[in-house]
């Protein structure tokens, strides 16, 4: 068994471990954010952690009604520009907490007046030391180069923070049930895509809203583990140019959750499917695309998050099918330190 598969199977337990600690570790940070009452939230991250931050952007905007922006770390690390952030909260997301540019941006945000919190899997770490608050995402040691459980736990830590911050009972209930739902998601079989995607030169992965962040993470994993060019797009952007590349040999995977965006994603994939037999969607509303099995968790945000788990299982299979080792992606290291 590969390390990537092993760590994917650990996701439900890692999520349960994090949630068990939430009343003591996450609730106090949520209280601090509520008292600070920011006008805007900014995120600081790269790679899979940035995709987790992108998911949390949608969650914060949907649940709390606060605008969220991604800050470019180079503003601090390369350009050295000070920032006026007296009415902002800043969430820095990192598996290692070691990248110099992420740390520099977190320090700049704090110096500019932001309330800063690190969502990190390594405590202590330079990033944890740089922020006013630290949320240990409690994913446990992750040995595979490709992040899996740390991505999921970063999002769960953020969702739990949002649930306490907003006192959102529906989200709290969905999170309480999430480990059980992820156990079901982990055994879903998406291998019906294996031969087609393995033979492809490129593919599109679509989402909208929170599933756009899932699509971005999925596309990265195709590149990291399977040396396969994959691009993530909002389904709303497909008709603004990207669709012109799609033909019968260009697979399209659409991540649709049980949320307000599902119908619009189905509409786009139904428009592509008649000229492309290799369209796949995690929805039972499309009669034209090939349906991927999914778990309905009872909440739109956790529905979206659960979709990445069967994809992780699929992409590990894809890597092996293409004669590669998903635990040793070419030219990559576990900890990427940028400045």
């Amino acid at each position: 068994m590969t390390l990537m598969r092993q760590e994917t199977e650990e996701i439900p337990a890692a999520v349960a471990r994090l949630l068990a600690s939430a009343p003591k570790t996450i609730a106090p940070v949520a209280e601090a954010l509520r008292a600070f009452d920011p006008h805007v939230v900014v995120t600081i991250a790269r790679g899979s952690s940035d995709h987790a931050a992108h998911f949390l952007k949608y969650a914060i905007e949907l649940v709390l009604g606060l605008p969220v922006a991604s800050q470019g770390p180079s503003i601090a690390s390369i350009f050295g520009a000070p920032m006026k952030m007296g009415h902002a909260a800043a969430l820095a997301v990192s598996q290692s907490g070691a990248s110099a540019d992420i740390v520099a941006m977190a320090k700049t945000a704090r110096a500019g007046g932001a309330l800063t919190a690190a969502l990190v899997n390594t405590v202590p770490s330079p990033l944890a030391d740089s922020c006013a608050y630290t949320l240990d995402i409690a994913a446990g040691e992750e040995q595979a180069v490709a992040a899996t459980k740390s991505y999921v736990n970063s999002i769960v830590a953020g969702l739990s923070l949002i649930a306490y911050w907003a006192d959102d009972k529906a989200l709290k209930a969905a999170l309480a049930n999430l480990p059980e739902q992820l156990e079901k998601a982990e055994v879903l079989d998406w291998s019906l895509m294996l031969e087609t995607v393995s033979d492809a030169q490129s593919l599109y992965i679509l989402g909208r809203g929170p599933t756009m962040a899932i699509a971005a993470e999925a596309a990265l994993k195709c590149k990291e583990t399977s040396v396969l060019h994959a691009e993530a797009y909002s389904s709303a952007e497909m008709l603004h140019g990207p669709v012109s590349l799609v033909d019968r040999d260009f697979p399209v995977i659409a991540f649709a959750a049980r949320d307000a965006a599902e119908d619009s994603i189905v509409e786009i994939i139904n428009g592509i499917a008649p000229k492309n037999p290799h369209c796949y969607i995690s929805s039972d509303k499309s009669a034209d695309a090939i349906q991927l099995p999914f778990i309905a968790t009872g909440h739109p945000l956790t529905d979206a998050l659960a979709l990445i788990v069967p994809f992780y299982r699929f992409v590990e299979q894809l890597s092996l099918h293409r004669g590669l080792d998903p635990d040793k992606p070419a030219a990559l290291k576990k900890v990427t330190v940028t400045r």
Side-chain angles (χ1 to χ4, degrees):
M1 181 186 293
T2 67
L3 289 171
M4 185 179 182
R5 176 64 184 275
Q6 177 182 316
E7 289 172 355
T8 299
E9 292 182 355
E10 291 172 6
I11 287 173
V15 169
R17 180 169 59 245
L18 170 63
L19 292 173
S21 69
K24 290 184 178 180
T25 61
I26 296 179
V29 183
E31 290 176 8
L33 284 162
R34 192 183 306 114
F36 186 74
D37 192 22
H39 296 179
V40 65
V41 178
V42 300
T43 62
I44 306 165
R46 290 205 186 278
S48 286
S49 293
D50 196 34
H51 300 154
H54 195 186
F55 190 104
L56 296 177
K57 163 190 166 62
Y58 285 109
I60 290 168
E61 291 177 345
L62 288 167
V63 175
L64 290 160
L66 286 172
V68 182
S70 173
Q71 281 200 299
S74 63
I75 290 296
S77 64
I78 298 295
F79 298 102
M83 301 295 292
K84 299 175 182 178
M85 301 181 64
H87 296 289
L91 302 180
V93 187
S94 173
Q95 187 271 330
S96 68
S99 285
D101 56 348
I102 303 298
V103 174
M105 191 68 250
K107 288 181 177 178
T108 294
R110 189 173 185 181
L115 188 153
T116 55
L119 281 66
V120 65
N121 199 37
T122 307
V123 180
S125 63
L127 183 61
D129 294 341
S130 299
C131 292
Y133 295 93
T134 298
L135 299 180
D136 184 347
I137 67 170
E141 183 181 3
E142 196 171 50
Q143 299 180 61
V145 172
T148 53
K149 60 181 180 175
S150 64
Y151 172 78
V152 173
N153 268 37
S154 293
I155 292 175
V156 173
L159 289 178
S160 184
L161 181 67
I162 293 163
Y164 279 105
W165 185 355
D167 192 22
D168 188 315
K169 294 178 174 55
L171 183 54
K172 286 180 180 179
L175 288 169
N177 293 327
L178 188 56
E180 179 183 353
Q181 301 295 343
L182 293 180
E183 286 182 359
K184 298 174 184 176
E186 199 280 320
V187 297
L188 295 179
D189 185 4
W190 286 11
S191 63
L192 55 86
M193 300 188 292
L194 193 58
E195 294 296 334
T196 296
V197 175
S198 182
D199 291 340
Q201 303 263 328
S202 296
L203 71 150
Y204 284 150
I205 305 181
L206 309 183
R208 194 165 188 186
T211 60
M212 181 60 223
I214 301 299
E217 169 66 2
L220 176 63
K221 287 298 179 285
C222 286
K223 297 167 188 171
E224 281 182 335
T225 69
S226 302
V227 197
L228 175 61
H229 179 246
E231 292 299 328
Y233 281 100
S234 166
S235 61
E237 295 291 340
M238 272 298 285
L239 302 183
H240 293 269
V243 71
S244 63
L245 293 179
V246 175
D247 59 26
R248 63 175 295 105
D249 297 318
F250 198 115
V252 179
I253 303 171
F255 286 97
R258 279 15 73 199
D259 64 12
E262 182 177 10
D263 288 345
S264 68
I265 298 171
V266 168
E267 181 180 359
I268 293 297
I269 206 75
N270 284 349
I272 299 170
K275 67 174 183 178
N276 185 343
H278 306 306
C279 290
Y280 305 89
I281 187 168
S282 59
S283 173
D284 56 12
K285 292 187 174 183
S286 173
D288 298 316
I290 299 169
Q291 296 180 9
L292 299 169
F294 59 86
I295 296 298
T297 67
H299 193 285
L301 289 171
T302 51
D303 269 12
L305 177 56
L307 292 172
I308 197 60
V309 177
F311 183 85
Y312 281 153
R313 178 179 177 180
F314 163 74
V315 82
E316 184 258 2
Q317 294 173 319
L318 178 65
S319 178
L320 294 172
H321 193 73
R322 288 169 66 92
L324 301 166
D325 183 349
D327 292 337
K328 299 176 181 178
L332 296 179
K333 297 183 293 184
K334 179 59 184 171
V335 178
T336 302
V337 179
T338 49
R339 69 177 185 88

